[in-house]
Amino acid sequence: MKTSYDMLVIGGGPAGAMAAKCAAEKGHSVLLVEKRPAIGVPVRCAEGVGKELLHQFLKPDDSWVASEIDQAQIVAPDGFVMNLKPEHAGSEVGYVLDRKVFDRELVWQAANAGADIMVKTRAVCPLTSDGRITGATIEHNGLKTDISAGIVVAADGVESKFARWCGVNTTVPLREMETCAQYLMTDIDIDPHTTVFYTGNSISPAGYVWIFPKGERTANVGIGIAGDKSRSGSRAKDYLDRFVSMNLPKGKAIELIAGGVSICRPLEKTVFDGMIIAGDAARVSDPLTGGGIYNALYTGSLAAEVGTTALSNGDVSAKALSVYDTTWRSSPMGIALERNYQIKEIFVKLTDDDLNAIIHSVSDMNMSEFNTLNLIRNIVTANPRLAMKLGKAGLKQLFDSIS
Amino acid sequence: MITVRRDICAYCGCCISVCPQGALELIDAYLFVDTEECTDCGICVRVCPLGALEVTP
């Protein structure tokens, strides 16, 4: 067994697979380890991704695109439905994927590019030398092996442990962990090309219910609520069961999916001597939407680009890798994360009356002028009470974040 | 101590990153609790989407 690689990637999700693929394509030796026995399962995802964002990395393929989405609907707590057509819905227009197939495809591509893959293999602890991360001890089939690596990419997901073992504080505050449950439901009456988002504090406190179609009569029906709203008897699954019994009583659940999505700010630092942190492990899932597929693909590929350059230059210090950190923070993704964090901080405090007022007023907007700034202006003008609630500081924060 | 109801747990990992002690780890298809590190604070019990965790005396 080979025990020395240029790059060791921990985690076989989209971030890890993309990092492994891109580094292997540049001729570097790569080992990707995945703790689960199979890539892509169990799914822990609503599986939605923006079309244009995905196209930056992959040509869509029928084998893993479950459904094409051409509009979104937002349902206010009072039942009012707002339609977001393609020209306004932005990145909400996209695909619902079949992650079981999609994740396998990505890892297959990494393997095809030359990366070694080990499943049911977990990183147990980092190897270090003079404070630099130089690899990891991995465990497979009861056997521990030390793998030395020029650089380690920690892409071990929302349940990330590796960075923590390296001394990074990765703890997510309870209120910033969305606790999620989802059914893959079939035999339901839906528009197969429309995603629907239900808001309201009695439906999904500090979160939303989603219906993401995966076929003619099949969809991911899920919910995320803020961790601090979760209690015995009113957990994500309890809210979901209530929603389903009221709205989709005849539907059949053919899969139960659980999971967590961090809605905190990204880690303060995502590079260390010998290590880059990518994807959910870096806390780059979107704080407002919870979306993380594109962000994982992007940070994974960037980790490979910066990591391989550092390897070629013979310098994998945090300083040499810092271009990874600065690049993603100033990228459209990084800017969107900060903006959406600010919006999320306001969203989680809204009452049902606020939500009703906002969704009604946005729906009355002249859609030819639809952009985020106009959206916020419109909301504030139409809802002076909300503007007062946010206060000067809140409004300034919001305007600063979008301008 | 934290007890994992294995019949309920979907080993999704939602609880792991909220643990201030880093006492939880997802090992393949089961949740491992490091009883040395765990302080019984119950944050993981709160966040579990399914209700699979309990603080037991």
Side-chain angles (χ1 to χ4, degrees), chain A residues 40 57 77 86-87 109 158 161 178 182-183 194 198 217-218 234 242 280 294 335 339 344 378-379 383 385 398:
Chain A
F57 295 103
E87 56 271 31
Q109 287 188 11
V158 68
K161 294 296 281 189
E178 287 287 295
Q182 175 175 278
Y183 291 120
T194 301
Y198 293 79
R217 294 180 59 75
T218 303
S234 54
R242 256 171 266 162
D280 281 6
Y294 168 78
I335 293 162
R339 182 192 68 210
K344 181 272 293 189
N378 187 281
I379 289 169
N383 304 281
R385 202 171 54 78
L398 195 56

Side-chain angles (χ1 to χ4, degrees), chain A residues 28 34-35 102 146 178 190 235 249 279 299 306 348 354 374:
Chain A
H28 293 273
E34 165 57 50
K35 68 177 176 294
F102 178 75
D146 286 351
E178 287 287 295
I190 50 159
R235 298 181 183 279
T299 52
V306 173
V348 296
D354 294 334
N374 276 338

Side-chain angles (χ1 to χ4, degrees), chain A residues 1-235:
Chain A
M1 180 182 166
K2 192 168 148 71
T3 56
S4 175
Y5 288 87
D6 294 332
M7 181 184 281
L8 171 64
V9 179
I10 299 167
M18 191 52 84
K21 171 182 175 267
C22 296
E25 279 171 351
K26 293 196 170 166
H28 293 273
S29 63
V30 181
L31 172 64
L32 181 153
V33 297
E34 165 57 50
K35 68 177 176 294
R36 311 263 196 189
I39 302 291
V41 286
V43 172
R44 294 174 304 177
C45 185
E47 303 182 296
V49 66
K51 263 185 201 178
E52 285 169 29
L53 294 173
L54 184 79
H55 293 171
Q56 291 177 25
F57 295 103
L58 284 157
K59 210 167 120 265
D61 188 283
D62 284 347
S63 68
W64 45 261
V65 172
S67 191
E68 277 199 52
I69 302 305
D70 53 28
Q71 71 160 354
Q73 289 183 332
I74 299 177
V75 183
D78 65 4
F80 176 80
V81 179
M82 179 175 88
N83 288 301
L84 280 169
K85 297 284 182 196
E87 56 271 31
H88 332 116
S91 60
E92 257 65 69
V93 176
Y95 301 111
V96 178
L97 306 181
D98 191 342
R99 283 283 304 271
K100 286 172 191 167
V101 183
F102 178 75
D103 286 27
R104 273 178 194 230
E105 167 69 22
L106 289 175
V107 169
W108 179 84
Q109 287 188 11
N112 213 31
D116 285 346
I117 314 289
M118 289 181 76
V119 293
K120 205 162 166 55
T121 303
R122 69 186 183 105
V124 179
C125 67
L127 300 175
T128 57
S129 166
D130 297 331
R132 183 169 80 80
I133 294 134
T134 57
T137 303
I138 62 166
E139 185 173 351
H140 173 76
N141 216 21
L143 285 179
K144 288 189 174 129
T145 311
D146 286 351
I147 302 291
S148 67
I151 191 164
V152 176
V153 175
D156 45 349
V158 68
E159 75 270 33
S160 148
K161 294 296 281 189
F162 196 81
R164 190 178 183 115
W165 292 333
C166 297
V168 186
N169 180 8
T170 57
T171 307
V172 177
L174 179 65
R175 63 177 281 273
E176 297 198 305
M177 178 62 84
E178 287 287 295
T179 159
C180 306
Q182 175 175 278
Y183 291 120
L184 174 58
M185 295 198 81
T186 193
D187 240 358
I188 50 177
D189 289 320
I190 50 159
D191 175 343
H193 304 293
T194 301
T195 50
V196 192
F197 301 83
Y198 293 79
T199 62
N201 287 288
S202 58
I203 295 170
S204 52
Y208 61 86
V209 166
W210 61 84
I211 297 181
F212 283 9
K214 291 195 77 174
E216 287 299 317
R217 294 180 59 75
T218 303
N220 286 330
V221 181
I223 186 173
I225 67 171
D228 61 346
K229 310 287 184 194
S230 170
R231 278 185 179 72
S232 177
S234 54
R235 298 181 183 279

